[in-house]
Amino acid sequence: NAGVTQTPKFQVLKTGQSMTLQCAQDMNHEYMSWYRQDPGMGLRLIHYSVGAGITDQGEVPNGYNVSRSTTEDFPLRLLSAAPSQTSVYFCASSYSSATDEQFFGPGTRLTVL
Amino acid sequence: SQQGEEDPQALSIQEGENATMNCSYKTSINNLQWYRQNSGRGLVHLILIRSNEREKHSGRLRVTLDTSKKSSSLLITASRAADTASYFCATDAASGTYKYIFGTGTRLKVLA
């Protein structure tokens, strides 16, 4: 199993550009989530999904969109990048819900100029 | 929103010593999890303790939970240089919102 994979590893954007961060898992997990981690901070939940076709907002959803068309994939879209979105983004998955152990991807380091 | 807050923010110890870090949270929970993050990497799950449990062990890790004080502690015994990492607690909402809230973490440095 590859576990949770994220692409790209690094990305630099200009203010106003849009992009999609990819996340995939091969463990047949129902629950997937996106977090952002700013320097010296913990993780803040952006969006999460409890299964294909079902998504919901976390603590900091503004400026981000998600969709879950398959169990495996959970892409995160930045609609119009802003410098405040400079961060490290982590995708995670767990078997059935957030109450199970979460498996994290390696992260995407995003810089918005 | 509720948040786990770890204490201390940073901890430096010698190899072989024990490391204790604490987590406090604000509202009732179903369970609490501890994660480790090595520099620049994703988080790795260490242990989950449910609200009806008071203590749990996993190898050199011991976690306690005091729901009356809304706090948890993580003890790493006989620490090793490889334990150098940041440690986070994460709490869910007892109302079952499927959201986990992470604390700001304790940075542990184990000196060889």
Side-chain angles (χ1 to χ4, degrees):
Chain A
N1 284 352
V4 180
T5 58
Q6 292 183 237
T7 56
K9 285 189 169 57
F10 301 93
Q11 183 70 50
V12 178
L13 293 178
K14 293 181 180 178
T15 297
Q17 287 185 316
S18 63
M19 79 159 294
T20 299
L21 280 63
Q22 301 292 343
C23 174
Q25 53 89 11
D26 62 357
M27 297 174 282
N28 203 30
H29 285 172
E30 290 295 327
Y31 183 91
M32 296 186 74
S33 55
W34 276 102
Y35 296 88
R36 60 176 288 174
Q37 184 177 33
D38 299 307
M41 299 285 289
L43 277 70
R44 289 185 290 171
L45 181 64
I46 304 172
H47 285 286
Y48 66 96
S49 168
V50 298
I54 306 169
T55 63
D56 205 347
Q57 296 181 349
E59 298 174 88
V60 288
N62 292 341
Y64 308 95
N65 270 358
V66 292
S67 59
R68 183 96 180 271
S69 56
T70 67
T71 299
E72 294 77 21
D73 300 299
F74 191 43
L76 177 73
R77 280 183 289 277
L78 279 69
L79 308 172
S80 177
S84 60
Q85 294 179 304
T86 293
S87 189
V88 181
Y89 291 84
F90 290 100
C91 179
S93 73
S94 63
Y95 179 67
S96 62
S97 76
T99 57
D100 292 323
E101 167 188 355
Q102 293 193 73
F103 294 83
F104 281 80
T108 293
R109 189 174 297 273
L110 175 68
T111 301
V112 182
L113 302 175
Chain B
S1 63
Q2 68 173 26
Q3 182 178 25
E5 297 200 1
E6 288 87 346
D7 169 59
Q9 291 187 339
L11 180 61
S12 185
I13 60 173
Q14 295 291 327
E15 205 167 28
E17 294 180 337
N18 295 342
T20 299
M21 51 206 88
N22 305 295
C23 169
S24 60
Y25 55 93
K26 297 177 183 175
T27 64
S28 297
I29 60 172
N30 287 318
N31 61 66
L32 182 146
Q33 299 186 21
W34 285 92
Y35 287 81
R36 183 186 75 231
Q37 183 181 36
N38 290 92
S39 181
R41 301 200 172 185
L43 279 69
V44 174
H45 181 264
L46 294 176
I47 200 163
L48 179 153
I49 186 165
R50 302 199 185 279
S51 59
N52 61 353
E53 297 174 312
R54 291 297 167 258
E55 187 171 314
K56 208 161 182 181
H57 296 256
S58 176
R60 293 184 296 112
L61 306 179
R62 173 178 167 252
V63 169
T64 60
L65 180 64
D66 187 336
T67 53
S68 66
K69 294 182 180 178
K70 292 185 171 60
S71 67
S72 172
S73 68
L74 170 67
L75 169 67
I76 304 173
T77 60
S79 61
R80 305 166 182 168
D83 295 326
T84 294
S86 291
Y87 292 82
F88 296 90
C89 67
T91 54
D92 72 325
S95 58
T97 58
Y98 304 111
K99 297 178 184 179
Y100 260 99
I101 305 298
F102 282 78
T104 53
T106 292
R107 295 187 307 280
L108 172 66
K109 187 169 186 177
V110 181
L111 304 170

